[in-house]
Amino acid sequence: MSPNGRPRLAIVGAGPAGAFTALQLIRHGDTFDIDLIERLPTPWGLLRAGVAPDHGEIKMLDETFERRVLNKGCRFFGNVAVGSDLPHGELMRRYHAVVYAVGAQTDKSLGIPGEELPGSMPATAFVGWYNGHPDYRNLAPDLSGETAVVIGNGNVAADVARMLTRDVDELARTDVADHALAALRESNVRRVVVLGRRGPAQAAFTNAELRELGRMAGVHVVVDPADAELDPVSEEWLADEGTFTARRNVERLREYAAAPGDPSATRTIELRFLRSPVALRGTDRVEAIDVVRNELYRDERGALRARPASDATEAIPCGLVLRSVGYQAVPLPDVPFDERSYILPNDRGRVLDPATGEPVRGVYAVGWIKRGPTGILGTNKRDAEDTVGSIVSDLRHGLLNEPELDCGVDDLLDGRAGVVTLAGWRAIDRAELAAGQASERPRVKLVEREALLQAAGG
Ligand code: NAP
């Protein structure tokens, strides 16, 4: 126990899942001393570096986390990578419970020729670039071509399509990274083609995100009426198993298909369906993407899948390809990992030993590393409730870890160069907010790791 008699709990990863976990543990009363350990110098994970800058109202959730987590005594240790800087074993020597909330830190690839050509990149990197994530500061996407192709039709695809087409003067009022704002001002991209490998009924957009695409000034959403028609397999699927979201999406896509062209629009977003990329082509950089037309079929388990309907390919000339086919988690040294599902094997957040199937005492998971990269931001709230329920129950039943040392990570991190404490984060926050106020923006982000550390030190 801590000197005050409370057990110590470390949350690894200060994104929304980690923050909601801290918030709910605090709400349970003065039960744990909580340390939030984060690999970046700044907290709030995808809230800061994933949520699109034009979704400012969602980003304001950071105020809740500040008020109800950091102001309530939860400590922050930023710029500390658990795994490399700080081994899992050292946490287990010090904490009664360790909660992994590390998300899904990499992207899925397509495995097609030309994928690595310059001009082709994961949408997740592009998202990090416009959001000022220090790891993507130097991405420099080439926006000189007229056409960009986005592969996949989930909400990340919607985000990047909006960011490529939205009026830059509107973006200038957000917290978009300065380097991205400057590049988007010079962008020649006028046409964004979004490719879904399955049909309109299987689009992964949520309704609000699909609607929003059609609400941007100067942007026309193009859907070929033939693409908006459902094939018989999808008709049956929508009638029998389709969700409300899928039905509403199909209606919206039909509305887009029926809408007259907008002569005042200077940018278009084309939503295409039943199309898969088979190769990216170009000499020194991507110049075109070859796509095939798909048909849907039911696999042996009844799931609707896409397969090529013929060998015929269509070439779409383009200068930028963003693959937006989902995030993927990476294993953590010494922590169990399910290589098939890319999650920490768990039962209601209790991480399981793969050999025995029994919970590993004191180790928990929450968020995308627990359930996979699905759900909107608010999904993490319910997910955190589930994991917190397991932790609190284990505390009551004496099932937490029994650490050999009677301290948190202070002995390991005190005096270590570059560790950002709460005071350091507050200094970064003040600097960014002050710069934002001066230019009538929510904040101006510091985007270089060095600048962040310098601001934290100051
Ligand atoms: P996602 O929703 O899982 O969408 C991934 C898309 O990639 C799907 O259309 C999927 O098609 C497609 N895909 C996967 N593998 C493919 C392949 N090999 N070839 C072609 N297409 C492929 O993932 P996401 O867009 O990365 O979003 C991740 C999560 O964050 C989602 O839950 C999302 O809702 C959430 N998010 C929410 C917001 C928001 O609320 N505004 C913003 C961003 C992200 P299939 O369906 O055929 O597999």
Side-chain angles (χ1 to χ4, degrees):
M1 300 290 151
S2 297
N4 54 29
R6 286 195 293 258
R8 289 178 303 278
L9 179 140
I11 299 175
V12 182
F20 274 126
T21 302
L23 188 152
Q24 285 167 26
L25 283 164
I26 290 166
R27 196 192 271 160
H28 268 275
D30 267 347
T31 319
F32 288 95
D33 280 345
I34 305 173
D35 287 347
L36 206 45
I37 305 174
E38 164 61 48
R39 110 186 152 83
L40 289 179
T42 53
W44 317 142
L46 285 182
L47 188 60
R48 178 178 165 101
V51 171
D54 60 346
H55 282 178
E57 71 292 353
I58 299 176
K59 284 191 181 260
M60 281 160 65
L61 183 60
D62 64 357
E63 290 172 13
T64 304
F65 291 154
E66 292 284 346
R67 227 179 31 252
R68 297 176 61 183
V69 176
L70 296 184
N71 287 356
K72 297 283 182 185
C74 173
R75 302 194 304 173
F76 177 70
F77 296 96
N79 204 30
V80 178
V82 169
S84 48
D85 298 344
L86 189 56
H88 169 73
E90 293 293 350
L91 293 181
M92 297 310 289
R93 293 178 70 207
R94 290 168 173 78
Y95 291 90
H96 298 82
V98 177
V99 186
Y100 282 98
V102 292
Q105 288 172 19
T106 186
D107 61 289
K108 288 202 291 187
S109 59
L110 293 165
I112 59 172
E115 198 172 359
E116 302 312 324
L117 277 171
S120 156
M121 62 189 71
T124 51
F126 187 72
V127 168
W129 171 76
Y130 63 60
N131 262 323
H133 189 303
D135 291 357
Y136 302 104
R137 164 67 185 92
N138 299 316
L139 188 73
D142 184 343
L143 305 176
S144 62
E146 188 161 312
T147 300
V149 173
V150 181
I151 302 164
N153 57 13
N155 284 339
V156 170
D159 283 348
V160 299
R162 280 199 328 278
M163 290 300 292
L164 284 166
T165 51
R166 194 181 275 289
D167 186 314
V168 182
D169 289 335
E170 286 180 35
L171 288 179
R173 296 195 285 272
T174 73
D175 71 352
V176 64
D178 278 349
H179 58 257
L181 188 61
L184 289 165
R185 241 185 228 298
E186 299 301 315
S187 167
N188 287 332
V189 175
R190 297 285 172 270
R191 174 181 176 234
V192 178
V193 181
V194 180
L195 300 176
R197 65 176 165 180
R198 299 191 289 163
Q202 294 84 32
F205 305 124
T206 44
N207 298 147
E209 276 60 33
L210 181 57
R211 184 181 62 226
E212 193 181 7
L213 293 181
R215 298 221 165 146
M216 285 188 290
V219 180
H220 181 51
V221 177
V222 178
V223 177
D224 181 339
D227 261 14
E229 286 311 314
L230 298 189
D231 61 303
V233 186
S234 289
E235 283 281 12
E236 185 194 315
W237 178 84
L238 197 64
D240 296 347
E241 308 161 45
T243 57
F244 175 82
T245 301
R247 284 172 221 274
R248 196 66 203 93
N249 276 352
V250 168
E251 282 169 27
R252 178 76 59 195
L253 289 164
R254 286 185 177 144
E255 285 166 24
Y256 286 148
D262 176 357
S264 68
T266 53
R267 278 103 55 212
T268 56
I269 297 176
E270 280 176 43
L271 303 178
R272 300 187 66 185
F273 298 93
L274 292 169
R275 298 293 193 291
S276 278
V278 287
L280 275 63
R281 287 187 290 112
T283 330
D284 302 322
R285 48 171 301 100
V286 67
E287 292 165 18
I289 181 165
D290 289 340
V291 301
V292 289
R293 200 186 160 82
N294 293 330
E295 60 184 12
L296 295 180
Y297 70 99
R298 279 192 190 270
D299 69 10
E300 61 286 356
R301 280 187 280 160
L304 276 190
R305 295 192 178 279
R307 67 183 167 206
S310 80
D311 291 339
T313 58
E314 173 197 1
I316 304 173
C318 56
L320 179 69
V321 174
L322 300 176
R323 51 178 187 277
S324 182
V325 296
Y327 289 77
Q328 199 165 72
V330 287
L332 288 140
D334 307 322
V335 183
F337 192 72
D338 181 338
E339 298 278 354
R340 280 190 311 163
S341 311
Y342 288 92
I343 54 171
L344 303 188
N346 72 90
D347 176 20
R348 307 202 63 183
R350 292 183 182 93
V351 172
L352 303 176
D353 180 338
T356 62
E358 293 297 316
V360 182
R361 257 178 114 105
V363 185
Y364 300 87
V366 70
W368 281 1
I369 195 70
K370 170 187 177 191
R371 66 175 196 273
T374 60
I376 57 171
L377 212 128
T379 313
N380 292 302
K381 194 172 172 187
R382 286 195 301 279
D383 192 333
E385 273 164 17
D386 183 54
T387 296
V388 166
S390 296
I391 296 170
V392 171
S393 164
D394 289 352
L395 170 68
R396 285 200 191 112
H397 294 96
L399 295 174
L400 293 180
N401 181 44
E402 287 167 12
E404 64 190 74
L405 301 179
D406 194 16
C407 59
V409 277
D410 310 57
D411 62 322
L412 294 174
L413 299 183
D414 267 2
R416 194 189 275 195
V419 175
V420 178
T421 59
L422 182 55
W425 159 238
R426 294 265 192 256
I428 294 171
D429 196 34
R430 273 196 306 276
E432 291 188 342
L433 291 174
Q437 207 169 23
S439 48
E440 294 183 31
R441 298 172 60 189
R443 70 172 63 230
V444 175
K445 283 180 185 166
L446 295 168
V447 296
E448 311 271 1
R449 205 173 267 265
E450 282 316 310
L452 286 161
L453 297 184
Q454 209 173 356

